[in-house]
Amino acid sequence: MKDPRPQPAADTTASRTVSRVVPEPTALKALAHPVRLRMLGMLRVDGPATATQLAVRLGLNSGATSYHLRQLAQYGFIEEAPHTSKRDRWWRASHELTTVPASEAEGEALDLDLAFNQAVLSLQVGQMQQALEEYAELPAEWRKASTASDIIIPMTSEQAEALTKRLTDIILEAMRAAPPLGEASGKPDMVPFSVMLHAFPYPGRLPHREGEDES
């Protein structure tokens, strides 16, 4: 017998799995290059492309982009994309996210962590500067959706770690509910929306680690 009570509407926003990669140290070293980071980001956001297409967008020659594409492919960040063209080689990103846990080791591992974060920061600063230059031309609804916030809260390291994890979980939840990057959403008002999360102890407030020069 059919239940006569009103039934809730079906949830049309199905959660999906967001593919991600956690690079090994050698792969992370290969990725810590500004051009490769930009190329990987382009393939993730805009979908498959050829070395020639990326060269035009980056202002490089196709030989340089081909080299960087081979490096990204060697370490599993990208893969060949099926395409009807037999003349050109098309590439696509293998994952939507790169996850790099904070290094708890010292020495070379920490140096690699710093080098990668420096490359990422340089890329993000450039993107934020470009976004600011375009801000005045944005539709009003997108200006309202944008922010450049700076919030400082007294916390212990445990509280800070819990907060950053909670914020990351919220962002990933939104990503799982959204269409995959690089694919047409079918909605003209839907565009890639960038969220950059930077969380760190306020500079100059913590003592140097033991053994470091404090002069």
Side-chain angles (χ1 to χ4, degrees), residues 92-164:
R92 66 184 178 189
S94 301
H95 315 86
E96 290 183 77
L97 286 178
T98 302
T99 300
V100 181
S103 175
E104 296 184 7
E106 303 295 333
E108 186 177 354
L110 181 57
D111 290 341
L112 180 56
D113 193 5
L114 289 170
F116 176 75
N117 279 288
Q118 181 62 60
V120 170
L121 180 61
S122 297
L123 177 64
Q124 291 174 342
V125 169
Q127 290 175 340
M128 287 188 289
Q129 182 61 50
Q130 185 178 354
L132 181 60
E133 292 169 359
E134 297 177 2
Y135 182 80
E137 305 302 323
L138 290 178
E141 60 269 23
W142 280 110
R143 291 200 302 271
K144 288 172 62 179
S146 303
T147 184
S149 300
D150 171 39
I151 301 169
I152 303 171
I153 312 168
M155 284 188 158
T156 65
S157 58
E158 291 81 6
Q159 291 172 327
E161 182 180 359
L163 177 61
T164 53

Side-chain angles (χ1 to χ4, degrees), residues 31 37 70-71 83 87 152-153 157 166 172 190 201:
L31 185 60
L37 283 172
R70 289 195 299 271
Q71 292 295 306
H83 201 271
R87 177 183 175 184
I152 303 171
I153 312 168
S157 58
R166 184 178 175 189
L172 289 178
M190 181 176 283

Side-chain angles (χ1 to χ4, degrees), residues 31-116:
L31 185 60
H33 188 289
V35 172
R36 290 173 201 159
L37 283 172
R38 288 185 66 190
M39 291 172 64
L40 180 57
M42 288 176 175
L43 292 174
R44 284 177 173 172
V45 173
D46 300 317
T50 67
T52 301
Q53 291 171 335
L54 291 171
V56 172
R57 294 165 64 184
L58 291 166
L60 301 172
N61 62 65
S62 57
T65 53
S66 293
Y67 169 75
H68 290 304
L69 285 168
R70 289 195 299 271
Q71 292 295 306
L72 290 171
Q74 178 180 345
Y75 294 101
F77 295 107
I78 65 172
E79 59 195 15
E80 285 196 58
H83 201 271
T84 55
S85 173
K86 295 182 179 179
R87 177 183 175 184
D88 297 313
R89 197 175 190 182
W90 288 73
W91 297 95
R92 66 184 178 189
S94 301
H95 315 86
E96 290 183 77
L97 286 178
T98 302
T99 300
V100 181
S103 175
E104 296 184 7
E106 303 295 333
E108 186 177 354
L110 181 57
D111 290 341
L112 180 56
D113 193 5
L114 289 170
F116 176 75

